């Protein structure tokens, strides 16, 4: 037998004593042995046992210590009224089976029918209410999430035809909820483009705001890298150090690609173990001016982290996708039949949206073009090859360099502090 999870196992070789019932409650009868006659069956309580280990179950432990009155409940009555007594079988008379109405076969694929049923539950609407909400542009019942689900699970032409045939043959009352969903949405022409256009009108504003935010971050980062004097001074020191090491070779230069900063600065000295070129430059800056702005250029990394993985080409693609959405709305409005009362409200709503969104998109396009020009100007300023220059990779390289610079500055400051402490004159000897 498997011990109860609420009873700790007995020690090896010991036989646990029988449990003591609470005071005032008669103990249950012992279980009958093998071969003993079974008692009457009773309807029990199928509950989940409480956890009584350690400090758990204090309520039940306190309850077990309380005294109960001598004249307790009539347990015999309880056992009697919950006894399951056998039911006498009565002689059943033969009955004639009534002919059953044949069930109309389902016409939708089970997985598709299940998906349509989930949409109805998600939208909390009947098929007819869902169709009316789309035609009436009811934003209270159809939020962007519901529209997105509907647009991704629109009925196909074949499904609409199959359901319409079943409705004609068996009647609308024989359609399941999923089939009624297909029937109602299939009764509206141009429904899919209408849903997609409405969904696009919801995401357009957020898309423009996100693009504008990235454009601002890119331009801000470009300006800081190009105009930050302290950053330029550190790069100048790196150039001077490299030319010193490369003297009398073809590698002497007036400038180098900042993309290779993380690699070249790991060059280690041959006479001082573990000292890199960047460590030595940091030591020199700390020795010259411990409060120099060059020691704080690591703060530029905060701006670079915000544009990590962002490129103006990617931003331009996002702007192009917004333009495709606008073009799709224009095509939908042109395809809708004029004078159709079902689509009048949709047409009015989307025409107002187009009137507001077109100028906004035009402004965003100009901002994107300005950002592309700023990035190209930055690449040219740093002498990066125009054909292969990628500002996202460039920003990552600079961010890595700044992290290495911060680490070298910390080591240089710690070494300067240790050196200064060791150079202090010893205290004078005590007076005799």
């Amino acid at each position: 037998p498997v011990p109860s999870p609420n009873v700790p196992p007995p020690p090896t070789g010991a036989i646990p004593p029988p449990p003591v019932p609470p005071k005032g409650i008669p103990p249950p009868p012992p279980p009958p042995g093998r071969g003993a006659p079974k008692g009457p069956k009773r309807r029990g309580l199928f509950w989940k046992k409480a956890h009584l280990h350690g400090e758990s179950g204090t309520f039940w432990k306190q309850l077990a210590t309380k005294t109960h009155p001598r004249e307790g409940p009539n347990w015999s009555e309880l056992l009697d009224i919950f006894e399951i007594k056998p039911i006498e079988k009565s002689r059943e008379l033969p009955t004639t089976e009534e002919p059953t109405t044949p069930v109309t076969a389902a016409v939708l694929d089970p997985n598709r029918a299940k998906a349509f049923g989930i949409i109805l539950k998600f939208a909390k609407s009947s098929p007819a209410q869902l169709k009316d909400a789309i035609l009436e542009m009811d934003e209270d019942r159809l939020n962007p999430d519901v529209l997105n689900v509907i647009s991704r699970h629109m009925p196909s032409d074949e499904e609409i035809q199959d359901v319409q045939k079943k409705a004609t043959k068996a009647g609308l009352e024989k359609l399941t909820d999923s089939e009624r969903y297909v029937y109602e949405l299939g009764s509206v022409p141009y429904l899919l483009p209408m849903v997609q256009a409405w969904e696009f009108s919801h995401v357009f504003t957020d898309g423009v705001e996100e693009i504008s935010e990235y454009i601002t971050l890119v331009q801000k980062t470009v300006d800081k890298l190009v105009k930050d004097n302290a950053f330029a001074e550190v790069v100048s020191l790196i150039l001077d150090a490299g030319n010193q090491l490369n003297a009398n070779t073809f590698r002497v230069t007036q400038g180098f690609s900042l993309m290779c900063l993380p690699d070249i600065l790991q060059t280690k000295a041959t006479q001082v173990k573990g000292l890199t070129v960047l460590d030595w430059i940091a030591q020199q800056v700390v020795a010259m001016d411990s409060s120099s702005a060059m020691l704080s250029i690591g703060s530029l990394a905060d701006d670079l982290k915000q544009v990590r993985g962002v490129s103006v080409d990617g931003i331009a693609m996002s702007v192009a996708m917004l333009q495709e959405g606008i073009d799709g709305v224009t095509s939908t409005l042109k395809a809708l039949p004029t004078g159709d009362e079902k689509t009048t409200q949709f047409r009015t709503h989307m025409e107002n949206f187009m009137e507001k969104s077109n100028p906004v998109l035009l402004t965003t396009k100009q901002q994107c073009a300005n950002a592309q020009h700023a990035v190209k100007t930055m690449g040219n300023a740093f002498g990066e090859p125009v054909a292969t220059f990628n500002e996202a990779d460039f920003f990552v390289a600079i961010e890595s360099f700044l992290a290495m610079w911060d680490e070298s500055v910390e080591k240089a400051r710690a070494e300067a502090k240790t050196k200064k402490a060791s150079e202090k004159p010893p205290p004078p000897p005590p007076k005799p």
Side-chain angles (χ1 to χ4, degrees):
V2 178
S4 171
N6 296 327
V7 179
T12 305
I15 300 176
V20 179
K23 298 179 180 179
I25 300 178
R34 183 175 298 180
K38 296 182 179 180
K41 294 183 178 180
R42 295 186 177 86
R43 179 163 294 170
L45 304 181
F46 296 91
W47 52 30
K48 185 178 180 181
K49 294 183 179 180
H51 294 277
L52 304 178
H53 297 307
E55 297 180 357
S56 302
T58 54
F59 168 81
W60 302 104
K61 294 173 182 178
Q62 293 176 2
L63 197 64
T65 60
K66 292 183 179 179
T67 57
H68 298 270
R70 291 184 178 179
E71 296 181 1
N74 188 345
W75 301 113
S76 300
E77 180 183 357
L78 176 74
L79 299 177
D80 288 339
I81 62 178
F82 278 83
E83 181 179 345
I84 300 176
K85 297 182 180 180
I87 301 175
E88 295 182 2
K89 296 183 179 180
S90 59
R91 185 178 178 184
E92 297 181 358
L93 298 175
T95 57
T96 57
E97 295 184 358
E98 297 181 359
T100 58
T101 305
V103 180
T104 307
V107 296
L108 295 176
D109 177 81
N111 292 330
R112 292 282 286 170
K114 183 178 180 181
F116 295 148
I118 293 174
I119 292 174
L120 291 172
K121 292 181 180 180
F122 186 50
K124 299 179 181 179
S125 302
S126 66
Q129 291 173 338
L130 195 61
K131 180 189 72 174
D132 293 340
I134 295 174
L135 294 175
E136 297 169 5
M137 307 287 286
D138 190 344
E139 296 186 355
D140 293 332
R141 281 190 290 178
L142 295 182
N143 56 44
D145 294 333
V146 177
L147 287 174
N148 179 264
V149 173
I150 293 175
S151 66
R152 289 189 290 108
H153 296 86
M154 288 295 291
S156 64
D157 293 339
E158 183 180 356
E159 290 171 334
I160 293 174
Q161 292 173 4
D162 291 342
V163 170
Q164 288 175 343
K165 289 179 182 178
K166 178 178 178 180
T168 303
K169 184 177 181 180
L172 291 177
E173 65 277 2
K174 297 298 182 180
L175 298 181
T176 65
D177 288 343
S178 298
E179 293 169 345
R180 190 62 183 262
Y181 170 86
V182 174
Y183 180 85
E184 294 291 349
L185 296 192
S187 65
V188 181
Y190 307 106
L191 187 66
L192 176 57
M194 289 171 62
V195 171
Q196 292 174 337
W198 188 12
E199 181 188 5
F200 174 75
S201 69
H202 279 290
V203 302
F204 176 81
T205 302
D206 291 340
V208 167
E209 291 178 354
E210 185 176 3
I211 290 173
S212 299
E213 181 180 351
Y214 278 125
I215 289 174
T216 302
L217 290 173
V218 169
Q219 289 181 322
K220 178 182 175 183
T221 304
V222 167
D223 290 341
K224 282 193 173 183
L225 288 178
V226 173
K227 299 178 181 179
D228 193 284
N229 292 329
F231 176 77
E233 290 178 5
V234 174
V235 173
S236 177
L237 286 175
I238 296 172
L239 174 63
D240 292 342
N243 281 333
Q244 291 290 330
L245 296 175
N246 294 333
N248 301 322
T249 70
F250 67 92
R251 293 190 297 272
V252 174
T253 182
Q254 292 183 341
F256 61 93
S257 173
L258 299 186
M259 295 283 291
C260 61
L261 274 174
D263 296 327
I264 63 175
L265 296 177
Q266 294 183 20
T267 305
K268 294 184 179 181
T270 57
Q271 304 300 320
V272 180
K273 185 177 180 180
L275 183 70
T276 65
V277 176
L278 197 60
D279 293 337
W280 181 86
I281 294 174
Q283 290 176 0
Q284 301 304 306
V285 175
V286 170
M288 291 185 295
D289 184 2
S290 60
S291 60
S292 173
M294 289 187 287
L295 301 174
S296 303
I297 63 171
S299 60
L300 290 172
D302 296 335
D303 297 305
L304 291 167
K305 288 176 182 177
Q306 295 181 2
V307 294
R308 185 183 295 168
V310 178
S311 69
V312 288
D313 290 340
I315 294 175
M317 290 179 61
S318 299
V319 174
M321 291 176 64
L322 291 180
Q323 183 61 63
E324 289 180 6
I326 291 292
D327 295 340
V329 174
T330 303
S331 300
T332 301
L333 290 175
K334 289 181 178 179
L336 292 178
T338 56
D340 187 354
E341 295 182 357
K342 291 182 178 180
T343 59
T344 299
Q345 191 164 352
F346 171 83
R347 180 184 293 276
T348 303
H349 180 92
M350 297 311 298
E351 286 177 349
N352 292 336
F353 162 73
M354 294 288 285
E355 184 178 354
K356 296 177 182 178
S357 60
N358 275 321
V360 173
L361 183 58
L362 186 62
T363 302
T364 306
K365 285 182 176 180
Q366 187 59 50
Q367 292 176 344
C368 182
N370 294 339
Q372 287 177 310
H373 177 72
V375 167
K376 184 177 179 180
T377 302
M378 179 191 68
N380 291 334
F382 286 115
E384 300 294 337
V386 178
T388 59
F389 178 65
N390 182 288
E391 71 277 10
D393 295 338
F394 181 81
F395 290 152
V396 170
I398 301 300
E399 184 183 349
S400 300
F401 156 67
L402 292 174
M404 296 168 62
W405 174 251
D406 279 345
E407 184 178 348
S408 295
V409 168
E410 289 182 9
K411 289 194 294 184
R413 282 175 170 165
E415 291 173 1
K417 186 176 180 180
T418 302
K419 183 178 179 181
K420 186 176 180 180
S422 63
E423 291 176 352
K424 286 184 179 180
K431 296 179 180 182

Tab-separated table of all heavy atoms in Angstrom, residues 21-58:
chain	number	residue	atom	x	y	z
A	21	PRO	N	-8.838	9.278	17.108
A	21	PRO	CA	-9.873	10.162	16.559
A	21	PRO	C	-10.094	11.351	17.484
A	21	PRO	O	-9.765	11.321	18.659
A	21	PRO	CB	-11.102	9.252	16.496
A	21	PRO	CG	-10.880	8.242	17.572
A	21	PRO	CD	-9.397	8.002	17.620
A	22	PRO	N	-10.628	12.474	16.948
A	22	PRO	CA	-10.942	13.628	17.793
A	22	PRO	C	-11.950	13.258	18.865
A	22	PRO	O	-12.775	12.359	18.704
A	22	PRO	CB	-11.527	14.633	16.797
A	22	PRO	CG	-11.033	14.180	15.458
A	22	PRO	CD	-10.904	12.706	15.559
A	23	LYS	N	-11.843	14.010	19.976
A	23	LYS	CA	-12.726	13.735	21.108
A	23	LYS	C	-14.171	14.002	20.722
A	23	LYS	O	-14.465	15.005	20.069
A	23	LYS	CB	-12.322	14.584	22.292
A	23	LYS	CG	-10.911	14.311	22.791
A	23	LYS	CD	-10.566	15.201	23.951
A	23	LYS	CE	-9.137	14.929	24.444
A	23	LYS	NZ	-8.774	15.809	25.558
A	24	GLY	N	-15.057	13.148	21.161
A	24	GLY	CA	-16.483	13.330	20.929
A	24	GLY	C	-16.963	12.729	19.628
A	24	GLY	O	-18.153	12.706	19.372
A	25	ILE	N	-16.050	12.283	18.773
A	25	ILE	CA	-16.453	11.696	17.489
A	25	ILE	C	-16.086	10.224	17.531
A	25	ILE	O	-14.935	9.879	17.784
A	25	ILE	CB	-15.757	12.383	16.312
A	25	ILE	CG1	-16.108	13.869	16.299
A	25	ILE	CG2	-16.134	11.740	14.989
A	25	ILE	CD1	-15.446	14.642	15.204
A	26	PRO	N	-17.039	9.340	17.328
A	26	PRO	CA	-16.714	7.902	17.405
A	26	PRO	C	-15.753	7.519	16.312
A	26	PRO	O	-15.825	8.048	15.211
A	26	PRO	CB	-18.086	7.224	17.227
A	26	PRO	CG	-18.899	8.225	16.469
A	26	PRO	CD	-18.444	9.563	16.947
A	27	PRO	N	-14.817	6.619	16.607
A	27	PRO	CA	-13.855	6.203	15.581
A	27	PRO	C	-14.558	5.404	14.499
A	27	PRO	O	-15.546	4.710	14.765
A	27	PRO	CB	-12.858	5.344	16.358
A	27	PRO	CG	-13.639	4.823	17.515
A	27	PRO	CD	-14.624	5.896	17.886
A	28	PRO	N	-14.071	5.495	13.270
A	28	PRO	CA	-14.687	4.692	12.203
A	28	PRO	C	-14.400	3.218	12.438
A	28	PRO	O	-13.405	2.855	13.066
A	28	PRO	CB	-13.985	5.206	10.947
A	28	PRO	CG	-12.683	5.745	11.427
A	28	PRO	CD	-12.949	6.287	12.796
A	29	PRO	N	-15.278	2.356	11.975
A	29	PRO	CA	-15.049	0.917	12.181
A	29	PRO	C	-13.803	0.483	11.435
A	29	PRO	O	-13.446	1.062	10.414
A	29	PRO	CB	-16.318	0.282	11.591
A	29	PRO	CG	-16.825	1.304	10.608
A	29	PRO	CD	-16.488	2.633	11.197
A	30	PRO	N	-13.081	-0.504	11.986
A	30	PRO	CA	-11.868	-0.983	11.310
A	30	PRO	C	-12.227	-1.600	9.968
A	30	PRO	O	-13.321	-2.121	9.789
A	30	PRO	CB	-11.308	-2.028	12.282
A	30	PRO	CG	-12.495	-2.479	13.053
A	30	PRO	CD	-13.386	-1.289	13.190
A	31	PRO	N	-11.299	-1.531	9.024
A	31	PRO	CA	-11.588	-2.116	7.706
A	31	PRO	C	-11.752	-3.611	7.814
A	31	PRO	O	-11.032	-4.278	8.554
A	31	PRO	CB	-10.353	-1.736	6.888
A	31	PRO	CG	-9.269	-1.521	7.888
A	31	PRO	CD	-9.944	-0.971	9.102
A	32	PRO	N	-12.708	-4.149	7.089
A	32	PRO	CA	-12.930	-5.605	7.176
A	32	PRO	C	-11.752	-6.361	6.587
A	32	PRO	O	-11.101	-5.892	5.667
A	32	PRO	CB	-14.199	-5.802	6.334
A	32	PRO	CG	-14.210	-4.643	5.392
A	32	PRO	CD	-13.607	-3.504	6.148
A	33	GLY	N	-11.465	-7.513	7.163
A	33	GLY	CA	-10.393	-8.341	6.650
A	33	GLY	C	-10.801	-9.029	5.358
A	33	GLY	O	-11.949	-8.964	4.912
A	34	ARG	N	-9.838	-9.706	4.766
A	34	ARG	CA	-10.111	-10.411	3.514
A	34	ARG	C	-11.116	-11.520	3.777
A	34	ARG	O	-10.957	-12.308	4.700
A	34	ARG	CB	-8.823	-10.957	2.943
A	34	ARG	CG	-8.998	-11.654	1.609
A	34	ARG	CD	-7.664	-12.063	1.036
A	34	ARG	NE	-6.830	-10.894	0.783
A	34	ARG	CZ	-5.592	-10.981	0.274
A	34	ARG	NH1	-5.067	-12.180	0.016
A	34	ARG	NH2	-4.896	-9.885	0.062
A	35	GLY	N	-12.127	-11.568	2.989
A	35	GLY	CA	-13.155	-12.589	3.132
A	35	GLY	C	-14.286	-12.167	4.035
A	35	GLY	O	-15.299	-12.844	4.111
A	36	ALA	N	-14.142	-11.018	4.770
A	36	ALA	CA	-15.211	-10.569	5.658
A	36	ALA	C	-16.343	-9.995	4.818
A	36	ALA	O	-16.115	-9.445	3.733
A	36	ALA	CB	-14.674	-9.522	6.629
A	37	PRO	N	-17.586	-10.083	5.307
A	37	PRO	CA	-18.714	-9.531	4.532
A	37	PRO	C	-18.613	-8.023	4.460
A	37	PRO	O	-18.278	-7.360	5.432
A	37	PRO	CB	-19.933	-9.994	5.330
A	37	PRO	CG	-19.427	-10.236	6.708
A	37	PRO	CD	-18.010	-10.720	6.549
A	38	LYS	N	-18.867	-7.485	3.273
A	38	LYS	CA	-18.798	-6.040	3.075
A	38	LYS	C	-20.059	-5.373	3.593
A	38	LYS	O	-21.159	-5.908	3.494
A	38	LYS	CB	-18.628	-5.729	1.589
A	38	LYS	CG	-17.317	-6.247	1.007
A	38	LYS	CD	-17.192	-5.857	-0.450
A	38	LYS	CE	-15.870	-6.352	-1.031
A	38	LYS	NZ	-15.731	-5.979	-2.471
A	39	GLY	N	-19.861	-4.155	4.163
A	39	GLY	CA	-20.997	-3.403	4.656
A	39	GLY	C	-21.734	-2.732	3.520
A	39	GLY	O	-21.361	-2.824	2.354
A	40	PRO	N	-22.796	-2.038	3.856
A	40	PRO	CA	-23.568	-1.360	2.818
A	40	PRO	C	-22.762	-0.228	2.180
A	40	PRO	O	-21.935	0.400	2.820
A	40	PRO	CB	-24.784	-0.819	3.587
A	40	PRO	CG	-24.323	-0.721	5.001
A	40	PRO	CD	-23.358	-1.833	5.197
A	41	LYS	N	-23.022	0.012	0.905
A	41	LYS	CA	-22.367	1.113	0.214
A	41	LYS	C	-23.024	2.428	0.581
A	41	LYS	O	-24.236	2.496	0.790
A	41	LYS	CB	-22.433	0.905	-1.299
A	41	LYS	CG	-21.638	-0.290	-1.798
A	41	LYS	CD	-21.698	-0.361	-3.314
A	41	LYS	CE	-20.868	-1.531	-3.825
A	41	LYS	NZ	-20.917	-1.611	-5.315
A	42	ARG	N	-22.193	3.457	0.680
A	42	ARG	CA	-22.717	4.791	1.024
A	42	ARG	C	-22.094	5.824	0.095
A	42	ARG	O	-20.996	5.633	-0.438
A	42	ARG	CB	-22.423	5.146	2.479
A	42	ARG	CG	-23.118	4.247	3.473
A	42	ARG	CD	-22.897	4.730	4.893
A	42	ARG	NE	-23.618	3.911	5.849
A	42	ARG	CZ	-23.164	2.786	6.375
A	42	ARG	NH1	-21.944	2.364	6.049
A	42	ARG	NH2	-23.884	2.109	7.219
A	43	ARG	N	-22.801	6.908	-0.093
A	43	ARG	CA	-22.294	8.011	-0.905
A	43	ARG	C	-21.338	8.842	-0.056
A	43	ARG	O	-21.728	9.476	0.929
A	43	ARG	CB	-23.441	8.879	-1.392
A	43	ARG	CG	-23.019	10.071	-2.220
A	43	ARG	CD	-24.186	10.617	-2.996
A	43	ARG	NE	-24.647	9.661	-4.002
A	43	ARG	CZ	-25.773	9.794	-4.708
A	43	ARG	NH1	-26.555	10.826	-4.500
A	43	ARG	NH2	-26.106	8.892	-5.602
A	44	GLY	N	-20.065	8.806	-0.382
A	44	GLY	CA	-19.057	9.508	0.405
A	44	GLY	C	-18.742	10.890	-0.149
A	44	GLY	O	-19.342	11.357	-1.123
A	45	LEU	N	-17.802	11.548	0.503
A	45	LEU	CA	-17.348	12.868	0.079
A	45	LEU	C	-15.977	12.731	-0.562
A	45	LEU	O	-15.015	12.319	0.088
A	45	LEU	CB	-17.277	13.824	1.275
A	45	LEU	CG	-18.571	14.005	2.081
A	45	LEU	CD1	-18.341	15.007	3.206
A	45	LEU	CD2	-19.704	14.462	1.180
A	46	PHE	N	-15.887	13.069	-1.809
A	46	PHE	CA	-14.630	12.942	-2.538
A	46	PHE	C	-13.860	14.261	-2.436
A	46	PHE	O	-13.929	15.115	-3.314
A	46	PHE	CB	-14.922	12.581	-4.003
A	46	PHE	CG	-15.580	11.242	-4.167
A	46	PHE	CD1	-16.961	11.118	-4.177
A	46	PHE	CD2	-14.809	10.094	-4.271
A	46	PHE	CE1	-17.562	9.875	-4.312
A	46	PHE	CE2	-15.397	8.853	-4.412
A	46	PHE	CZ	-16.783	8.742	-4.422
A	47	TRP	N	-13.167	14.426	-1.341
A	47	TRP	CA	-12.435	15.669	-1.116
A	47	TRP	C	-10.939	15.468	-1.239
A	47	TRP	O	-10.455	14.347	-1.296
A	47	TRP	CB	-12.765	16.263	0.260
A	47	TRP	CG	-12.624	15.312	1.418
A	47	TRP	CD1	-11.757	14.272	1.512
A	47	TRP	CD2	-13.405	15.296	2.612
A	47	TRP	NE1	-11.924	13.613	2.689
A	47	TRP	CE2	-12.934	14.230	3.393
A	47	TRP	CE3	-14.423	16.077	3.116
A	47	TRP	CZ2	-13.476	13.936	4.631
A	47	TRP	CZ3	-14.957	15.787	4.352
A	47	TRP	CH2	-14.484	14.726	5.098
A	48	LYS	N	-10.227	16.572	-1.291
A	48	LYS	CA	-8.773	16.540	-1.349
A	48	LYS	C	-8.241	16.790	0.050
A	48	LYS	O	-8.621	17.753	0.707
A	48	LYS	CB	-8.252	17.620	-2.302
A	48	LYS	CG	-6.745	17.585	-2.510
A	48	LYS	CD	-6.324	18.649	-3.498
A	48	LYS	CE	-4.815	18.618	-3.694
A	48	LYS	NZ	-4.379	19.675	-4.658
A	49	LYS	N	-7.376	15.900	0.526
A	49	LYS	CA	-6.892	15.988	1.891
A	49	LYS	C	-6.024	17.229	2.106
A	49	LYS	O	-5.300	17.657	1.208
A	49	LYS	CB	-6.080	14.743	2.254
A	49	LYS	CG	-6.918	13.482	2.294
A	49	LYS	CD	-6.083	12.292	2.732
A	49	LYS	CE	-6.932	11.036	2.791
A	49	LYS	NZ	-6.144	9.866	3.219
A	50	ALA	N	-6.127	17.796	3.318
A	50	ALA	CA	-5.322	18.961	3.660
A	50	ALA	C	-3.889	18.539	3.974
A	50	ALA	O	-3.634	17.397	4.369
A	50	ALA	CB	-5.919	19.695	4.861
A	51	HIS	N	-2.954	19.444	3.808
A	51	HIS	CA	-1.557	19.192	4.146
A	51	HIS	C	-1.349	19.503	5.628
A	51	HIS	O	-1.594	20.618	6.077
A	51	HIS	CB	-0.638	20.063	3.289
A	51	HIS	CG	-0.694	19.717	1.836
A	51	HIS	ND1	0.027	18.688	1.277
A	51	HIS	CD2	-1.419	20.259	0.817
A	51	HIS	CE1	-0.237	18.613	-0.015
A	51	HIS	NE2	-1.114	19.555	-0.325
A	52	LEU	N	-0.889	18.512	6.376
A	52	LEU	CA	-0.758	18.659	7.826
A	52	LEU	C	0.675	18.519	8.297
A	52	LEU	O	0.929	18.228	9.461
A	52	LEU	CB	-1.640	17.612	8.537
A	52	LEU	CG	-3.130	17.626	8.151
A	52	LEU	CD1	-3.863	16.510	8.888
A	52	LEU	CD2	-3.754	18.970	8.497
A	53	HIS	N	1.637	18.704	7.411
A	53	HIS	CA	3.041	18.607	7.796
A	53	HIS	C	3.508	19.913	8.427
A	53	HIS	O	3.167	21.004	7.967
A	53	HIS	CB	3.914	18.293	6.578
A	53	HIS	CG	3.610	16.970	5.952
A	53	HIS	ND1	3.589	15.805	6.677
A	53	HIS	CD2	3.301	16.624	4.675
A	53	HIS	CE1	3.297	14.803	5.873
A	53	HIS	NE2	3.103	15.271	4.649
A	54	GLY	N	4.334	19.810	9.468
A	54	GLY	CA	4.960	20.990	10.064
A	54	GLY	C	3.936	21.998	10.541
A	54	GLY	O	3.040	21.694	11.328
A	55	GLU	N	4.052	23.224	10.041
A	55	GLU	CA	3.160	24.300	10.464
A	55	GLU	C	1.891	24.353	9.624
A	55	GLU	O	1.033	25.207	9.858
A	55	GLU	CB	3.892	25.643	10.369
A	55	GLU	CG	5.106	25.740	11.297
A	55	GLU	CD	5.793	27.083	11.177
A	55	GLU	OE1	5.347	27.893	10.343
A	55	GLU	OE2	6.761	27.318	11.922
A	56	SER	N	1.778	23.516	8.618
A	56	SER	CA	0.579	23.516	7.782
A	56	SER	C	-0.591	22.900	8.527
A	56	SER	O	-0.419	22.047	9.399
A	56	SER	CB	0.833	22.738	6.487
A	56	SER	OG	1.911	23.310	5.780
A	57	GLY	N	-1.785	23.336	8.186
A	57	GLY	CA	-2.991	22.749	8.745
A	57	GLY	C	-3.248	23.080	10.195
A	57	GLY	O	-3.832	22.273	10.925
A	58	THR	N	-2.817	24.250	10.655
A	58	THR	CA	-3.037	24.614	12.072
A	58	THR	C	-4.513	24.667	12.405
A	58	THR	O	-4.925	24.341	13.530
A	58	THR	CB	-2.392	25.969	12.373
A	58	THR	OG1	-2.878	26.941	11.438
A	58	THR	CG2	-0.873	25.883	12.256
